[in-house]
Amino acid sequence: QVQLQESGPGLVKPSGTLSLTCAVSSGSINSGTWWSWVRQPPEKGLEWIGEISHGGSTNYNPSLKSRVTILLDKSKNQLSLNLTSVTAADTAIYYCANNGYYSIHHWGQGTLVAVSS
Amino acid sequence: EIVLTQSPGTLSLSPGDRATLSCRASQSVSSYLAWYQQKPGQAPRLLIYGASSRATGIPDRFSGSESGTDFTLTVSRLEPEDFAMYYCQQYRSSPPGYTFGQGTKLEIK
């Protein structure tokens, strides 16, 4: 079963850029599947951010599309998330995940990112 | 935009009871509906995909069904470890992406 591990700064300043990486193990990022980022503000529900295919095609949540970039680094078997112009509303646990049949099958443990000065 | 409405917001039951959780879509989502379980401090876990297919390793007391735009997750006999938050999720094809319901909290009565 694929293993996913998110990493990155736990604190980002307002108007800055949130940058996270997700290391994929026990599987290849070239495996023919799609990979997603999902976030969850404290004590709130889940919000899908976007996804990327093994070929580099992307789909983003329309509400975040202007600020989000998801990339693959096949040499490192990892994916990344960049979210620009962050505000306190972007404070959340960020999960990377592996898609399955129109659903999200495997999840990383998540990483908490706070936006604060 | 398709909206998923989960009900009830909170469900209070006892171990051994049958739990029925509802997820209503504002328009057709075909069978692209999934259910997740989330416990405090943990990532969500996929339970059901394609409206009624159990994910790998999920006990058969969990089942999913659909009737038009109404989807149901049933837990036939609650175990202590089943008390958690549950989310439904749909996939849309235009534009491509996923939407989650607001969740149902299943708590011990």
PDB file of all heavy atoms in Angstrom, chain A residues 40 44-46 48 51 59 62 95 99 101-105 107-108, chain B residues 32 34 36 38 42-44 46 49 87 89 91-92 96-98 100:
ATOM      1  N   GLN A  40      -8.175  20.690   5.682  1.00  0.00           N
ATOM      2  CA  GLN A  40      -9.221  20.664   6.705  1.00  0.00           C
ATOM      3  C   GLN A  40      -8.904  21.717   7.752  1.00  0.00           C
ATOM      4  O   GLN A  40      -8.022  21.512   8.589  1.00  0.00           O
ATOM      5  CB  GLN A  40      -9.305  19.271   7.340  1.00  0.00           C
ATOM      6  CG  GLN A  40     -10.428  19.121   8.334  1.00  0.00           C
ATOM      7  CD  GLN A  40     -10.589  17.679   8.795  1.00  0.00           C
ATOM      8  OE1 GLN A  40      -9.620  16.938   8.935  1.00  0.00           O
ATOM      9  NE2 GLN A  40     -11.826  17.272   9.017  1.00  0.00           N
ATOM     10  N   LYS A  44     -13.248  21.765  11.334  1.00  0.00           N
ATOM     11  CA  LYS A  44     -14.169  21.923  10.208  1.00  0.00           C
ATOM     12  C   LYS A  44     -14.062  20.740   9.249  1.00  0.00           C
ATOM     13  O   LYS A  44     -13.350  19.770   9.516  1.00  0.00           O
ATOM     14  CB  LYS A  44     -13.891  23.247   9.487  1.00  0.00           C
ATOM     15  CG  LYS A  44     -14.211  24.476  10.331  1.00  0.00           C
ATOM     16  CD  LYS A  44     -14.107  25.751   9.525  1.00  0.00           C
ATOM     17  CE  LYS A  44     -14.488  26.945  10.369  1.00  0.00           C
ATOM     18  NZ  LYS A  44     -14.404  28.222   9.606  1.00  0.00           N
ATOM     19  N   GLY A  45     -14.776  20.836   8.136  1.00  0.00           N
ATOM     20  CA  GLY A  45     -14.826  19.733   7.182  1.00  0.00           C
ATOM     21  C   GLY A  45     -13.692  19.741   6.179  1.00  0.00           C
ATOM     22  O   GLY A  45     -12.760  20.539   6.254  1.00  0.00           O
ATOM     23  N   LEU A  46     -13.809  18.829   5.219  1.00  0.00           N
ATOM     24  CA  LEU A  46     -12.769  18.593   4.223  1.00  0.00           C
ATOM     25  C   LEU A  46     -13.003  19.428   2.973  1.00  0.00           C
ATOM     26  O   LEU A  46     -14.139  19.578   2.523  1.00  0.00           O
ATOM     27  CB  LEU A  46     -12.747  17.107   3.855  1.00  0.00           C
ATOM     28  CG  LEU A  46     -12.472  16.149   5.009  1.00  0.00           C
ATOM     29  CD1 LEU A  46     -12.878  14.728   4.634  1.00  0.00           C
ATOM     30  CD2 LEU A  46     -10.997  16.207   5.407  1.00  0.00           C
ATOM     31  N   TRP A  48     -11.348  19.745  -0.974  1.00  0.00           N
ATOM     32  CA  TRP A  48     -10.416  19.303  -2.000  1.00  0.00           C
ATOM     33  C   TRP A  48      -9.756  20.516  -2.636  1.00  0.00           C
ATOM     34  O   TRP A  48     -10.433  21.468  -3.017  1.00  0.00           O
ATOM     35  CB  TRP A  48     -11.180  18.486  -3.038  1.00  0.00           C
ATOM     36  CG  TRP A  48     -10.375  17.996  -4.185  1.00  0.00           C
ATOM     37  CD1 TRP A  48      -9.499  16.943  -4.193  1.00  0.00           C
ATOM     38  CD2 TRP A  48     -10.401  18.505  -5.515  1.00  0.00           C
ATOM     39  NE1 TRP A  48      -8.972  16.776  -5.461  1.00  0.00           N
ATOM     40  CE2 TRP A  48      -9.513  17.730  -6.287  1.00  0.00           C
ATOM     41  CE3 TRP A  48     -11.079  19.556  -6.143  1.00  0.00           C
ATOM     42  CZ2 TRP A  48      -9.289  17.966  -7.649  1.00  0.00           C
ATOM     43  CZ3 TRP A  48     -10.869  19.792  -7.488  1.00  0.00           C
ATOM     44  CH2 TRP A  48      -9.976  18.994  -8.227  1.00  0.00           C
ATOM     45  N   GLU A  51      -5.680  18.223  -7.960  1.00  0.00           N
ATOM     46  CA  GLU A  51      -5.083  16.941  -8.263  1.00  0.00           C
ATOM     47  C   GLU A  51      -4.151  17.053  -9.464  1.00  0.00           C
ATOM     48  O   GLU A  51      -4.239  18.000 -10.256  1.00  0.00           O
ATOM     49  CB  GLU A  51      -6.173  15.899  -8.564  1.00  0.00           C
ATOM     50  CG  GLU A  51      -7.002  16.224  -9.786  1.00  0.00           C
ATOM     51  CD  GLU A  51      -8.114  15.212 -10.070  1.00  0.00           C
ATOM     52  OE1 GLU A  51      -8.197  14.163  -9.396  1.00  0.00           O
ATOM     53  OE2 GLU A  51      -8.903  15.474 -11.017  1.00  0.00           O
ATOM     54  N   ASN A  59      -6.074  19.469 -12.212  1.00  0.00           N
ATOM     55  CA  ASN A  59      -7.408  20.016 -12.012  1.00  0.00           C
ATOM     56  C   ASN A  59      -7.397  20.670 -10.646  1.00  0.00           C
ATOM     57  O   ASN A  59      -6.866  20.099  -9.679  1.00  0.00           O
ATOM     58  CB  ASN A  59      -8.474  18.916 -12.046  1.00  0.00           C
ATOM     59  CG  ASN A  59      -8.572  18.244 -13.397  1.00  0.00           C
ATOM     60  OD1 ASN A  59      -8.713  18.910 -14.417  1.00  0.00           O
ATOM     61  ND2 ASN A  59      -8.511  16.924 -13.413  1.00  0.00           N
ATOM     62  N   PRO A  62     -12.184  25.303  -8.209  1.00  0.00           N
ATOM     63  CA  PRO A  62     -12.366  26.650  -8.778  1.00  0.00           C
ATOM     64  C   PRO A  62     -12.199  27.774  -7.759  1.00  0.00           C
ATOM     65  O   PRO A  62     -11.750  28.870  -8.115  1.00  0.00           O
ATOM     66  CB  PRO A  62     -13.804  26.594  -9.318  1.00  0.00           C
ATOM     67  CG  PRO A  62     -14.032  25.153  -9.634  1.00  0.00           C
ATOM     68  CD  PRO A  62     -13.289  24.407  -8.562  1.00  0.00           C
ATOM     69  N   TYR A  95      -3.509  17.556   3.640  1.00  0.00           N
ATOM     70  CA  TYR A  95      -3.267  16.146   3.365  1.00  0.00           C
ATOM     71  C   TYR A  95      -2.900  15.950   1.899  1.00  0.00           C
ATOM     72  O   TYR A  95      -3.537  16.554   1.021  1.00  0.00           O
ATOM     73  CB  TYR A  95      -4.532  15.323   3.608  1.00  0.00           C
ATOM     74  CG  TYR A  95      -5.054  15.296   5.024  1.00  0.00           C
ATOM     75  CD1 TYR A  95      -6.108  16.113   5.422  1.00  0.00           C
ATOM     76  CD2 TYR A  95      -4.515  14.405   5.967  1.00  0.00           C
ATOM     77  CE1 TYR A  95      -6.617  16.064   6.714  1.00  0.00           C
ATOM     78  CE2 TYR A  95      -5.016  14.360   7.261  1.00  0.00           C
ATOM     79  CZ  TYR A  95      -6.060  15.193   7.620  1.00  0.00           C
ATOM     80  OH  TYR A  95      -6.559  15.142   8.897  1.00  0.00           O
ATOM     81  N   ASN A  99      -5.485   9.049  -5.434  1.00  0.00           N
ATOM     82  CA  ASN A  99      -6.847   8.836  -5.893  1.00  0.00           C
ATOM     83  C   ASN A  99      -7.072   7.401  -6.333  1.00  0.00           C
ATOM     84  O   ASN A  99      -6.150   6.707  -6.755  1.00  0.00           O
ATOM     85  CB  ASN A  99      -7.163   9.763  -7.064  1.00  0.00           C
ATOM     86  CG  ASN A  99      -7.103  11.227  -6.695  1.00  0.00           C
ATOM     87  OD1 ASN A  99      -6.717  11.588  -5.593  1.00  0.00           O
ATOM     88  ND2 ASN A  99      -7.476  12.071  -7.636  1.00  0.00           N
ATOM     89  N   TYR A 101     -10.921   5.029  -7.566  1.00  0.00           N
ATOM     90  CA  TYR A 101     -12.099   5.088  -8.431  1.00  0.00           C
ATOM     91  C   TYR A 101     -12.985   6.247  -8.001  1.00  0.00           C
ATOM     92  O   TYR A 101     -13.810   6.102  -7.094  1.00  0.00           O
ATOM     93  CB  TYR A 101     -12.856   3.767  -8.390  1.00  0.00           C
ATOM     94  CG  TYR A 101     -14.078   3.734  -9.260  1.00  0.00           C
ATOM     95  CD1 TYR A 101     -13.990   3.474 -10.619  1.00  0.00           C
ATOM     96  CD2 TYR A 101     -15.347   3.977  -8.725  1.00  0.00           C
ATOM     97  CE1 TYR A 101     -15.123   3.452 -11.429  1.00  0.00           C
ATOM     98  CE2 TYR A 101     -16.481   3.946  -9.511  1.00  0.00           C
ATOM     99  CZ  TYR A 101     -16.360   3.690 -10.860  1.00  0.00           C
ATOM    100  OH  TYR A 101     -17.484   3.669 -11.647  1.00  0.00           O
ATOM    101  N   TYR A 102     -12.808   7.410  -8.607  1.00  0.00           N
ATOM    102  CA  TYR A 102     -13.602   8.613  -8.313  1.00  0.00           C
ATOM    103  C   TYR A 102     -13.674   8.883  -6.816  1.00  0.00           C
ATOM    104  O   TYR A 102     -14.695   9.355  -6.293  1.00  0.00           O
ATOM    105  CB  TYR A 102     -14.995   8.481  -8.922  1.00  0.00           C
ATOM    106  CG  TYR A 102     -14.955   8.271 -10.416  1.00  0.00           C
ATOM    107  CD1 TYR A 102     -15.249   7.042 -10.976  1.00  0.00           C
ATOM    108  CD2 TYR A 102     -14.577   9.318 -11.261  1.00  0.00           C
ATOM    109  CE1 TYR A 102     -15.192   6.854 -12.357  1.00  0.00           C
ATOM    110  CE2 TYR A 102     -14.513   9.140 -12.636  1.00  0.00           C
ATOM    111  CZ  TYR A 102     -14.826   7.910 -13.172  1.00  0.00           C
ATOM    112  OH  TYR A 102     -14.755   7.717 -14.528  1.00  0.00           O
ATOM    113  N   SER A 103     -12.592   8.582  -6.129  1.00  0.00           N
ATOM    114  CA  SER A 103     -12.511   8.761  -4.687  1.00  0.00           C
ATOM    115  C   SER A 103     -11.045   8.843  -4.299  1.00  0.00           C
ATOM    116  O   SER A 103     -10.164   8.721  -5.139  1.00  0.00           O
ATOM    117  CB  SER A 103     -13.209   7.608  -3.970  1.00  0.00           C
ATOM    118  OG  SER A 103     -12.682   6.368  -4.399  1.00  0.00           O
ATOM    119  N   ILE A 104     -10.818   9.066  -3.028  1.00  0.00           N
ATOM    120  CA  ILE A 104      -9.458   9.255  -2.539  1.00  0.00           C
ATOM    121  C   ILE A 104      -9.121   8.089  -1.632  1.00  0.00           C
ATOM    122  O   ILE A 104      -9.682   7.954  -0.542  1.00  0.00           O
ATOM    123  CB  ILE A 104      -9.357  10.615  -1.828  1.00  0.00           C
ATOM    124  CG1 ILE A 104      -9.664  11.726  -2.840  1.00  0.00           C
ATOM    125  CG2 ILE A 104      -7.970  10.798  -1.229  1.00  0.00           C
ATOM    126  CD1 ILE A 104      -9.748  13.109  -2.259  1.00  0.00           C
ATOM    127  N   HIS A 105      -8.217   7.241  -2.096  1.00  0.00           N
ATOM    128  CA  HIS A 105      -8.046   5.944  -1.445  1.00  0.00           C
ATOM    129  C   HIS A 105      -7.019   5.942  -0.320  1.00  0.00           C
ATOM    130  O   HIS A 105      -7.238   5.298   0.695  1.00  0.00           O
ATOM    131  CB  HIS A 105      -7.710   4.883  -2.498  1.00  0.00           C
ATOM    132  CG  HIS A 105      -8.910   4.355  -3.200  1.00  0.00           C
ATOM    133  ND1 HIS A 105      -9.098   3.029  -3.478  1.00  0.00           N
ATOM    134  CD2 HIS A 105     -10.003   4.990  -3.670  1.00  0.00           C
ATOM    135  CE1 HIS A 105     -10.261   2.858  -4.085  1.00  0.00           C
ATOM    136  NE2 HIS A 105     -10.829   4.044  -4.224  1.00  0.00           N
ATOM    137  N   TRP A 107      -4.376   8.234   2.171  1.00  0.00           N
ATOM    138  CA  TRP A 107      -4.123   9.570   2.694  1.00  0.00           C
ATOM    139  C   TRP A 107      -2.823   9.602   3.483  1.00  0.00           C
ATOM    140  O   TRP A 107      -2.479   8.633   4.165  1.00  0.00           O
ATOM    141  CB  TRP A 107      -5.264   9.983   3.635  1.00  0.00           C
ATOM    142  CG  TRP A 107      -6.614  10.057   3.027  1.00  0.00           C
ATOM    143  CD1 TRP A 107      -7.366   9.015   2.555  1.00  0.00           C
ATOM    144  CD2 TRP A 107      -7.411  11.230   2.854  1.00  0.00           C
ATOM    145  NE1 TRP A 107      -8.567   9.475   2.094  1.00  0.00           N
ATOM    146  CE2 TRP A 107      -8.630  10.829   2.260  1.00  0.00           C
ATOM    147  CE3 TRP A 107      -7.221  12.592   3.142  1.00  0.00           C
ATOM    148  CZ2 TRP A 107      -9.649  11.741   1.943  1.00  0.00           C
ATOM    149  CZ3 TRP A 107      -8.234  13.487   2.834  1.00  0.00           C
ATOM    150  CH2 TRP A 107      -9.422  13.059   2.234  1.00  0.00           C
ATOM    151  N   GLY A 108      -2.116  10.724   3.393  1.00  0.00           N
ATOM    152  CA  GLY A 108      -1.014  10.953   4.310  1.00  0.00           C
ATOM    153  C   GLY A 108      -1.568  11.285   5.687  1.00  0.00           C
ATOM    154  O   GLY A 108      -2.778  11.404   5.871  1.00  0.00           O
TER     155      GLY A 108
ATOM    156  N   TYR B  32     -20.748   8.126  -8.478  1.00  0.00           N
ATOM    157  CA  TYR B  32     -19.419   8.582  -8.074  1.00  0.00           C
ATOM    158  C   TYR B  32     -19.464   9.149  -6.662  1.00  0.00           C
ATOM    159  O   TYR B  32     -19.116  10.309  -6.428  1.00  0.00           O
ATOM    160  CB  TYR B  32     -18.901   9.623  -9.059  1.00  0.00           C
ATOM    161  CG  TYR B  32     -18.784   9.149 -10.492  1.00  0.00           C
ATOM    162  CD1 TYR B  32     -18.894  10.055 -11.544  1.00  0.00           C
ATOM    163  CD2 TYR B  32     -18.565   7.814 -10.793  1.00  0.00           C
ATOM    164  CE1 TYR B  32     -18.786   9.629 -12.861  1.00  0.00           C
ATOM    165  CE2 TYR B  32     -18.455   7.384 -12.095  1.00  0.00           C
ATOM    166  CZ  TYR B  32     -18.569   8.292 -13.129  1.00  0.00           C
ATOM    167  OH  TYR B  32     -18.465   7.877 -14.433  1.00  0.00           O
ATOM    168  N   ALA B  34     -18.546   8.508  -2.519  1.00  0.00           N
ATOM    169  CA  ALA B  34     -17.706   7.770  -1.586  1.00  0.00           C
ATOM    170  C   ALA B  34     -18.016   8.198  -0.157  1.00  0.00           C
ATOM    171  O   ALA B  34     -18.568   9.285   0.075  1.00  0.00           O
ATOM    172  CB  ALA B  34     -16.230   7.999  -1.898  1.00  0.00           C
ATOM    173  N   TYR B  36     -16.249   8.322   3.884  1.00  0.00           N
ATOM    174  CA  TYR B  36     -15.023   8.284   4.668  1.00  0.00           C
ATOM    175  C   TYR B  36     -15.347   8.328   6.149  1.00  0.00           C
ATOM    176  O   TYR B  36     -16.328   8.929   6.566  1.00  0.00           O
ATOM    177  CB  TYR B  36     -14.121   9.483   4.334  1.00  0.00           C
ATOM    178  CG  TYR B  36     -13.735   9.572   2.889  1.00  0.00           C
ATOM    179  CD1 TYR B  36     -14.578  10.175   1.964  1.00  0.00           C
ATOM    180  CD2 TYR B  36     -12.530   9.038   2.429  1.00  0.00           C
ATOM    181  CE1 TYR B  36     -14.250  10.234   0.623  1.00  0.00           C
ATOM    182  CE2 TYR B  36     -12.187   9.102   1.091  1.00  0.00           C
ATOM    183  CZ  TYR B  36     -13.052   9.702   0.196  1.00  0.00           C
ATOM    184  OH  TYR B  36     -12.711   9.758  -1.136  1.00  0.00           O
ATOM    185  N   GLN B  38     -13.529   9.463   9.802  1.00  0.00           N
ATOM    186  CA  GLN B  38     -12.399  10.195  10.373  1.00  0.00           C
ATOM    187  C   GLN B  38     -12.508  10.215  11.891  1.00  0.00           C
ATOM    188  O   GLN B  38     -13.519  10.651  12.434  1.00  0.00           O
ATOM    189  CB  GLN B  38     -12.313  11.624   9.839  1.00  0.00           C
ATOM    190  CG  GLN B  38     -11.031  12.331  10.282  1.00  0.00           C
ATOM    191  CD  GLN B  38     -10.918  13.739   9.728  1.00  0.00           C
ATOM    192  OE1 GLN B  38     -11.901  14.432   9.508  1.00  0.00           O
ATOM    193  NE2 GLN B  38      -9.672  14.180   9.492  1.00  0.00           N
ATOM    194  N   GLN B  42      -6.735  11.925  13.284  1.00  0.00           N
ATOM    195  CA  GLN B  42      -6.339  11.014  12.216  1.00  0.00           C
ATOM    196  C   GLN B  42      -6.799  11.525  10.857  1.00  0.00           C
ATOM    197  O   GLN B  42      -7.726  12.339  10.762  1.00  0.00           O
ATOM    198  CB  GLN B  42      -6.946   9.622  12.452  1.00  0.00           C
ATOM    199  CG  GLN B  42      -6.446   8.936  13.703  1.00  0.00           C
ATOM    200  CD  GLN B  42      -6.985   7.523  13.834  1.00  0.00           C
ATOM    201  OE1 GLN B  42      -7.501   6.932  12.869  1.00  0.00           O
ATOM    202  NE2 GLN B  42      -6.872   6.961  15.021  1.00  0.00           N
ATOM    203  N   ALA B  43      -6.156  11.024   9.812  1.00  0.00           N
ATOM    204  CA  ALA B  43      -6.598  11.313   8.464  1.00  0.00           C
ATOM    205  C   ALA B  43      -7.886  10.545   8.164  1.00  0.00           C
ATOM    206  O   ALA B  43      -8.171   9.516   8.795  1.00  0.00           O
ATOM    207  CB  ALA B  43      -5.523  10.906   7.469  1.00  0.00           C
ATOM    208  N   PRO B  44      -8.681  11.019   7.222  1.00  0.00           N
ATOM    209  CA  PRO B  44      -9.860  10.248   6.809  1.00  0.00           C
ATOM    210  C   PRO B  44      -9.439   8.887   6.258  1.00  0.00           C
ATOM    211  O   PRO B  44      -8.325   8.711   5.770  1.00  0.00           O
ATOM    212  CB  PRO B  44     -10.476  11.123   5.706  1.00  0.00           C
ATOM    213  CG  PRO B  44      -9.980  12.495   5.981  1.00  0.00           C
ATOM    214  CD  PRO B  44      -8.588  12.305   6.516  1.00  0.00           C
ATOM    215  N   LEU B  46     -10.981   5.825   3.700  1.00  0.00           N
ATOM    216  CA  LEU B  46     -12.011   5.472   2.729  1.00  0.00           C
ATOM    217  C   LEU B  46     -12.745   4.214   3.173  1.00  0.00           C
ATOM    218  O   LEU B  46     -12.131   3.196   3.481  1.00  0.00           O
ATOM    219  CB  LEU B  46     -11.386   5.240   1.352  1.00  0.00           C
ATOM    220  CG  LEU B  46     -12.340   4.804   0.243  1.00  0.00           C
ATOM    221  CD1 LEU B  46     -13.298   5.942  -0.119  1.00  0.00           C
ATOM    222  CD2 LEU B  46     -11.550   4.371  -0.986  1.00  0.00           C
ATOM    223  N   TYR B  49     -16.640   3.273  -1.954  1.00  0.00           N
ATOM    224  CA  TYR B  49     -16.506   4.031  -3.192  1.00  0.00           C
ATOM    225  C   TYR B  49     -17.487   3.476  -4.215  1.00  0.00           C
ATOM    226  O   TYR B  49     -18.007   2.365  -4.046  1.00  0.00           O
ATOM    227  CB  TYR B  49     -15.062   3.974  -3.716  1.00  0.00           C
ATOM    228  CG  TYR B  49     -14.584   2.591  -4.114  1.00  0.00           C
ATOM    229  CD1 TYR B  49     -14.690   2.150  -5.418  1.00  0.00           C
ATOM    230  CD2 TYR B  49     -14.055   1.731  -3.158  1.00  0.00           C
ATOM    231  CE1 TYR B  49     -14.272   0.879  -5.788  1.00  0.00           C
ATOM    232  CE2 TYR B  49     -13.639   0.458  -3.506  1.00  0.00           C
ATOM    233  CZ  TYR B  49     -13.744   0.028  -4.821  1.00  0.00           C
ATOM    234  OH  TYR B  49     -13.337  -1.230  -5.177  1.00  0.00           O
ATOM    235  N   TYR B  87     -17.921  11.413   6.412  1.00  0.00           N
ATOM    236  CA  TYR B  87     -18.108  12.351   5.307  1.00  0.00           C
ATOM    237  C   TYR B  87     -18.470  11.600   4.032  1.00  0.00           C
ATOM    238  O   TYR B  87     -17.906  10.528   3.758  1.00  0.00           O
ATOM    239  CB  TYR B  87     -16.826  13.142   5.023  1.00  0.00           C
ATOM    240  CG  TYR B  87     -16.382  14.075   6.127  1.00  0.00           C
ATOM    241  CD1 TYR B  87     -15.444  13.662   7.084  1.00  0.00           C
ATOM    242  CD2 TYR B  87     -16.891  15.371   6.216  1.00  0.00           C
ATOM    243  CE1 TYR B  87     -15.034  14.512   8.089  1.00  0.00           C
ATOM    244  CE2 TYR B  87     -16.482  16.223   7.229  1.00  0.00           C
ATOM    245  CZ  TYR B  87     -15.568  15.787   8.161  1.00  0.00           C
ATOM    246  OH  TYR B  87     -15.161  16.635   9.166  1.00  0.00           O
ATOM    247  N   GLN B  89     -18.585  12.115  -0.229  1.00  0.00           N
ATOM    248  CA  GLN B  89     -17.819  12.863  -1.236  1.00  0.00           C
ATOM    249  C   GLN B  89     -18.296  12.457  -2.614  1.00  0.00           C
ATOM    250  O   GLN B  89     -18.562  11.288  -2.877  1.00  0.00           O
ATOM    251  CB  GLN B  89     -16.329  12.551  -1.079  1.00  0.00           C
ATOM    252  CG  GLN B  89     -15.446  12.952  -2.232  1.00  0.00           C
ATOM    253  CD  GLN B  89     -15.024  11.756  -3.079  1.00  0.00           C
ATOM    254  OE1 GLN B  89     -14.423  10.802  -2.579  1.00  0.00           O
ATOM    255  NE2 GLN B  89     -15.311  11.777  -4.383  1.00  0.00           N
ATOM    256  N   TYR B  91     -17.672  12.960  -6.952  1.00  0.00           N
ATOM    257  CA  TYR B  91     -16.784  13.374  -8.017  1.00  0.00           C
ATOM    258  C   TYR B  91     -17.638  13.989  -9.128  1.00  0.00           C
ATOM    259  O   TYR B  91     -18.666  13.452  -9.507  1.00  0.00           O
ATOM    260  CB  TYR B  91     -16.000  12.192  -8.584  1.00  0.00           C
ATOM    261  CG  TYR B  91     -15.201  12.547  -9.821  1.00  0.00           C
ATOM    262  CD1 TYR B  91     -13.955  13.121  -9.696  1.00  0.00           C
ATOM    263  CD2 TYR B  91     -15.712  12.340 -11.096  1.00  0.00           C
ATOM    264  CE1 TYR B  91     -13.217  13.481 -10.816  1.00  0.00           C
ATOM    265  CE2 TYR B  91     -14.993  12.688 -12.216  1.00  0.00           C
ATOM    266  CZ  TYR B  91     -13.754  13.259 -12.074  1.00  0.00           C
ATOM    267  OH  TYR B  91     -13.037  13.617 -13.182  1.00  0.00           O
ATOM    268  N   ARG B  92     -17.222  15.136  -9.616  1.00  0.00           N
ATOM    269  CA  ARG B  92     -17.893  15.759 -10.745  1.00  0.00           C
ATOM    270  C   ARG B  92     -16.931  15.771 -11.928  1.00  0.00           C
ATOM    271  O   ARG B  92     -15.721  15.890 -11.751  1.00  0.00           O
ATOM    272  CB  ARG B  92     -18.328  17.193 -10.393  1.00  0.00           C
ATOM    273  CG  ARG B  92     -17.165  18.110 -10.118  1.00  0.00           C
ATOM    274  CD  ARG B  92     -17.584  19.537  -9.802  1.00  0.00           C
ATOM    275  NE  ARG B  92     -16.409  20.388  -9.635  1.00  0.00           N
ATOM    276  CZ  ARG B  92     -15.723  20.514  -8.497  1.00  0.00           C
ATOM    277  NH1 ARG B  92     -16.117  19.857  -7.423  1.00  0.00           N
ATOM    278  NH2 ARG B  92     -14.655  21.273  -8.433  1.00  0.00           N
ATOM    279  N   PRO B  96     -13.686  18.953 -13.572  1.00  0.00           N
ATOM    280  CA  PRO B  96     -13.287  17.775 -12.783  1.00  0.00           C
ATOM    281  C   PRO B  96     -12.916  18.151 -11.355  1.00  0.00           C
ATOM    282  O   PRO B  96     -12.220  19.147 -11.119  1.00  0.00           O
ATOM    283  CB  PRO B  96     -12.059  17.250 -13.536  1.00  0.00           C
ATOM    284  CG  PRO B  96     -12.157  17.822 -14.887  1.00  0.00           C
ATOM    285  CD  PRO B  96     -12.812  19.169 -14.737  1.00  0.00           C
ATOM    286  N   GLY B  97     -13.400  17.353 -10.406  1.00  0.00           N
ATOM    287  CA  GLY B  97     -13.026  17.624  -9.030  1.00  0.00           C
ATOM    288  C   GLY B  97     -13.916  16.915  -8.041  1.00  0.00           C
ATOM    289  O   GLY B  97     -14.830  16.183  -8.408  1.00  0.00           O
ATOM    290  N   TYR B  98     -13.623  17.135  -6.769  1.00  0.00           N
ATOM    291  CA  TYR B  98     -14.310  16.456  -5.687  1.00  0.00           C
ATOM    292  C   TYR B  98     -14.962  17.470  -4.750  1.00  0.00           C
ATOM    293  O   TYR B  98     -14.433  18.560  -4.528  1.00  0.00           O
ATOM    294  CB  TYR B  98     -13.307  15.625  -4.872  1.00  0.00           C
ATOM    295  CG  TYR B  98     -12.622  14.526  -5.654  1.00  0.00           C
ATOM    296  CD1 TYR B  98     -11.481  14.777  -6.402  1.00  0.00           C
ATOM    297  CD2 TYR B  98     -13.130  13.228  -5.640  1.00  0.00           C
ATOM    298  CE1 TYR B  98     -10.857  13.769  -7.118  1.00  0.00           C
ATOM    299  CE2 TYR B  98     -12.511  12.207  -6.349  1.00  0.00           C
ATOM    300  CZ  TYR B  98     -11.382  12.499  -7.086  1.00  0.00           C
ATOM    301  OH  TYR B  98     -10.763  11.484  -7.796  1.00  0.00           O
ATOM    302  N   PHE B 100     -17.022  17.492  -0.820  1.00  0.00           N
ATOM    303  CA  PHE B 100     -17.377  16.738   0.376  1.00  0.00           C
ATOM    304  C   PHE B 100     -18.648  17.296   1.003  1.00  0.00           C
ATOM    305  O   PHE B 100     -18.931  18.500   0.909  1.00  0.00           O
ATOM    306  CB  PHE B 100     -16.255  16.824   1.407  1.00  0.00           C
ATOM    307  CG  PHE B 100     -14.990  16.110   0.998  1.00  0.00           C
ATOM    308  CD1 PHE B 100     -13.997  16.777   0.298  1.00  0.00           C
ATOM    309  CD2 PHE B 100     -14.801  14.771   1.320  1.00  0.00           C
ATOM    310  CE1 PHE B 100     -12.828  16.129  -0.085  1.00  0.00           C
ATOM    311  CE2 PHE B 100     -13.640  14.109   0.949  1.00  0.00           C
ATOM    312  CZ  PHE B 100     -12.655  14.795   0.234  1.00  0.00           C
TER     313      PHE B 100
END
